[in-house]
Structures are given as C-alpha cells and as structure tokens.
Amino acid sequence: MIAIVLAAALSPGVQQTQLPSYDEAVRCAGLAQAASELEGGESGEGLSLYDAALYWSLTAMRMARAASRPPEAAEADQTRARIRAVRELSADDASARADLERCQARTPELG
C-alpha cells in the first residue's frame, strides 16, 4: 500500500500542471488527517480518509522539497493544518467540509 501511495505522490511522470500548490497540499493533508482521526479507521470511510491523509501528507512533503522548504517546517505546517481542521470539522464548518470533499475527489485510488 505504501509503495502505491509513494508512486502516486512522488511519480516524476506526473505533469507539473496536475500538482497542487504547497498550501493546497498542506490544507488537504490537514483536513484528511483530521477527518481520519475523527472518523476512526474501522469504517470504509475511515480507511478512505486514512489513504487520503497519507497521499496528501506525502504530496505536501514533495511540494515542500520542490519549494526548498525544510522537512521540519513542512511537518510543522501540516500539524498546524491538522489542528485547525479538527476544530473546523468538529464545529461542522461548511467551508472545511467542502474543502475536504474537493481534496478527497483529487485523491487518486490507492488500492
């Protein structure tokens, strides 16, 4: 599974126009991580969110590397994004839910 995610997130064959910005990738990583935590891993939706969180986290790290951001800063950005997303999703923020849906729609099939 991880090999599939790595291939999807890190494939050099992916056109640059298809890649999200660093900020988009961090937002999606934070939302997917938060939603995965809130949902739990037992349900089908929980597993799908876990896959999305893994994909977006790796994509954010790839975009950080492309932007010459240190890995520690990229990890900190994702942590802040996850904390923000937990608050938003817990409050049933419509904008955060819509962003999460867009992120999920952009997540490739991993398995």
Side-chain angles (χ1 to χ4, degrees):
M1 175 64 76
I2 291 178
I4 294 169
V5 173
L6 284 171
L10 304 177
S11 173
V14 175
Q15 302 230 345
Q16 290 296 329
T17 57
Q18 295 175 337
L19 295 176
S21 70
Y22 174 75
D23 290 337
E24 290 172 310
V26 168
R27 175 70 170 156
C28 285
L31 283 164
Q33 290 168 16
S36 177
E37 290 173 14
L38 293 169
E39 176 68 25
E42 303 302 315
S43 69
E45 179 67 11
L47 293 173
S48 175
L49 288 165
Y50 178 83
D51 286 350
L54 184 56
Y55 170 78
W56 285 108
S57 179
L58 290 170
T59 300
M61 295 306 285
R62 178 183 183 197
M63 300 314 295
R65 188 172 52 247
S68 299
R69 290 181 190 255
E72 299 80 15
E75 289 175 14
D77 288 344
Q78 285 188 56
T79 298
R80 282 189 295 276
R82 182 186 53 76
I83 291 168
R84 173 185 167 201
V86 166
R87 290 182 185 134
E88 292 171 338
L89 295 174
S90 294
D92 204 25
D93 182 287
S95 178
R97 291 275 172 207
D99 287 348
L100 177 59
E101 286 178 20
R102 280 189 291 278
C103 293
Q104 285 182 284
R106 294 177 62 194
T107 303
E109 183 64 38
L110 302 180

